[in-house]
Amino acid sequence: MRIGELAQMGQCTEQTVRYYEKKGLLPAAARTEANYRIYDSAHVERLRFIRNCRALDMTHEEIRGLLDLMEQPASDCGGVNGLLDEHIAHVDARITELAALKRQLAGLRERCQSNQAVNECGILEGLASMETEPRRAPQSHLG
Amino acid sequence: MRIGELAQMGQCTEQTVRYYEKKGLLPAAARTEANYRIYDSAHVERLRFIRNCRALDMTHEEIRGLLDLMEQPASDCGGVNGLLDEHIAHVDARITELAALKRQLAGLRERCQSNQAVNECGILEGLASMETEPRRAPQSHLG
DNA sequence: TTCACACCTTGAAGCTACTATAGGGTCAAG
DNA sequence: CTTGACCCTATAGTAGCTTCAAGGTGTGAA
Ligand SMILES: [Zn+2]
Ligand SMILES: [Zn+2]
Ligand SMILES: [Zn+2]
Ligand SMILES: [Zn+2]
C-alpha cells in the first residue's frame, strides 16, 4: 500500500504521515524502485494508534512514551496506566483553568449591558483596571 | 522609563515587549541617543491592557480588535461587547470539547484497573481499536 | 583608568503539530 | 503522446512567545 491509502486509513493527510516519519513516530518506510513509500498492515495499526491518541489530545511525546512501552510486550503495564493518568490530569487541569476564565469573563461581560460610548464601556474599563498578574507556567499542554 | 521597567509593570519580559512592538500591538517607542527604547505612562496602560487580555486567553487578533475599537472613543461599544461575547463562546466551546475528551479518557482508563502485561493492557487495546475519526476543524483558538 | 556588572540592542533559532506551496518525478489509461 | 492521479523533496508559514548569540552602553568601585 502506498502513502495515499495509508493516510486514508489513518484519517489524515499524506503530509502528516511524512511528518510522523520525520519525527520518528512512524518508522521509515521501505521504498519502491520509483522511491515511493510502501506500507503494510503493521503500519496501518501504528498510524491508527497514533491518530487515536491525537484525537484524545495527547502530545507526540506522550504518544512516543506509549509506543516505547509497547516495545516490551511482556513487561508490566503500570507505565501505560501512569501515562494515561497524567494525561487525564492535563485535561482536568485545563478544564479547571477554563472554568475560572469563564467566571472572570462573565463578570467582565456584566459590566456593560447596553451599548454606550466606547470610552465609557465597562468592559474596557475592566480590562484596563484588572490587576496584571504574572503569567504562570501552564499546567497542561492543552491550550 | 526604559524597557526593563515597562516589562515589570506589565508582568512580562523585555523580549515580549519587543515582540509586541514588532507585531504592532505596541507602537514603536521613541529612542534615546544610545538607541534605548523609552516609554511613558500611556505605554504602561496599553501594555497592561494587552497583558490582561492575554491573561483571559484572547488572541493577538482579538486584542487588536479591541485596541482598534478604542481608537474611536465616541463610537458605540457594541463591537466591544460582541468581541467579548465571541471570545466567551470560544472558551465555552473548548470546555465542552474537553469535557467530552475527559469522558472518553475515563472510559479508556477503566479498561485497565490492575497492572498486567503490556500486551494485555486494556488501555492499549482500547487505543488500538478506537474508531479513527477525521480531525475536525477547531471550534476555538484555545487548543 | 580600568574593571565588573547590569542594562540595552539586533537577529536568528527553537517550541507544537501540522498545513501549504513550489517544483518536480512516475505511471496507467485513452 | 498527453492527461491526470499519484508520488517525491524542500521550504515557509501558523501563535505566542522563549532562548541564544554577539555585541553596545552606562555606572560604581578598585
Ligand atoms: Zn497530556
Ligand atoms: Zn460596552
Ligand atoms: Zn477568543
Ligand atoms: Zn494497563
Side-chain angles (χ1 to χ4, degrees):
Chain A
M1 140 186 348
R2 289 179 308 188
I3 197 170
E5 198 181 343
L6 177 68
Q8 222 171 359
M9 309 292 282
Q11 297 286 6
C12 66
T13 68
E14 300 149 30
Q15 283 104 322
T16 299
V17 172
R18 293 191 197 103
Y19 177 70
Y20 288 165
E21 177 182 316
K22 195 156 109 183
K23 290 292 155 179
L25 290 177
L26 288 174
R31 302 289 184 122
T32 67
E33 285 187 0
N35 200 29
Y36 289 5
R37 289 172 181 82
I38 43 176
Y39 299 99
D40 61 21
S41 64
H43 293 96
V44 175
E45 274 182 43
R46 192 168 170 113
L47 177 60
R48 289 180 61 108
F49 183 90
I50 294 169
R51 295 302 294 170
N52 288 338
C53 289
R54 288 292 302 131
L56 296 170
D57 265 4
M58 290 185 207
T59 64
H60 283 190
E61 202 183 334
E62 287 169 329
I63 298 168
R64 210 184 308 269
L66 291 179
L67 291 170
D68 286 352
L69 288 166
M70 285 191 288
E71 311 250 306
Q72 273 86 35
S75 70
D76 186 282
C77 76
V80 172
N81 304 1
L83 221 152
L84 196 73
D85 284 338
E86 281 177 34
H87 182 59
I88 290 172
H90 298 155
V91 174
D92 276 341
R94 187 54 175 158
I95 288 175
T96 302
E97 276 180 1
L98 287 179
L101 222 55
K102 184 179 171 171
R103 278 195 302 278
Q104 252 193 296
L105 286 163
L108 194 60
R109 184 63 185 85
E110 278 180 16
R111 298 178 62 136
C112 178
Q113 298 300 349
S114 57
N115 288 6
Q116 47 200 83
V118 159
N119 60 354
E120 295 190 356
C121 174
I123 290 171
L124 294 178
E125 274 174 34
L127 284 169
S129 65
M130 267 173 66
E131 239 190 277
T132 306
E133 277 165 37
R135 198 81 153 151
R136 50 190 180 283
Q139 333 282 331
S140 158
H141 57 82
L142 301 156
Chain B
M1 150 188 335
R2 289 181 309 189
I3 197 169
E5 197 181 344
L6 178 68
Q8 222 170 1
M9 307 293 282
Q11 297 286 5
C12 66
T13 68
E14 301 150 28
Q15 284 100 324
T16 300
V17 172
R18 291 189 199 104
Y19 178 71
Y20 288 167
E21 176 181 316
K22 194 157 112 184
K23 291 292 156 179
L25 290 177
L26 287 174
R31 301 291 183 122
T32 68
E33 285 187 0
N35 200 29
Y36 289 5
R37 289 171 179 84
I38 43 176
Y39 299 99
D40 61 21
S41 64
H43 294 96
V44 176
E45 274 182 44
R46 191 168 171 114
L47 176 60
R48 289 179 61 107
F49 183 90
I50 294 169
R51 295 302 293 171
N52 288 338
C53 289
R54 288 293 300 130
L56 297 170
D57 265 3
M58 291 185 206
T59 63
H60 283 187
E61 201 183 334
E62 288 170 329
I63 298 168
R64 210 185 307 270
L66 290 179
L67 291 170
D68 286 353
L69 288 165
M70 286 190 287
E71 311 250 305
Q72 273 87 34
S75 71
D76 186 280
C77 77
V80 172
N81 305 0
L83 220 153
L84 196 74
D85 285 339
E86 281 177 35
H87 181 59
I88 289 173
H90 299 155
V91 174
D92 276 341
R94 186 55 174 156
I95 289 175
T96 302
E97 276 180 0
L98 286 180
L101 222 53
K102 183 180 172 170
R103 277 194 303 277
Q104 252 194 296
L105 285 164
L108 194 59
R109 184 62 184 87
E110 278 180 16
R111 299 179 61 137
C112 177
Q113 298 300 349
S114 57
N115 289 4
Q116 49 200 82
V118 160
N119 60 355
E120 294 190 355
C121 175
I123 291 172
L124 294 177
E125 274 174 34
L127 284 169
S129 65
M130 267 173 64
E131 238 190 275
T132 307
E133 277 165 35
R135 201 79 155 150
R136 51 193 180 281
Q139 336 280 332
S140 157
H141 57 81
L142 302 157

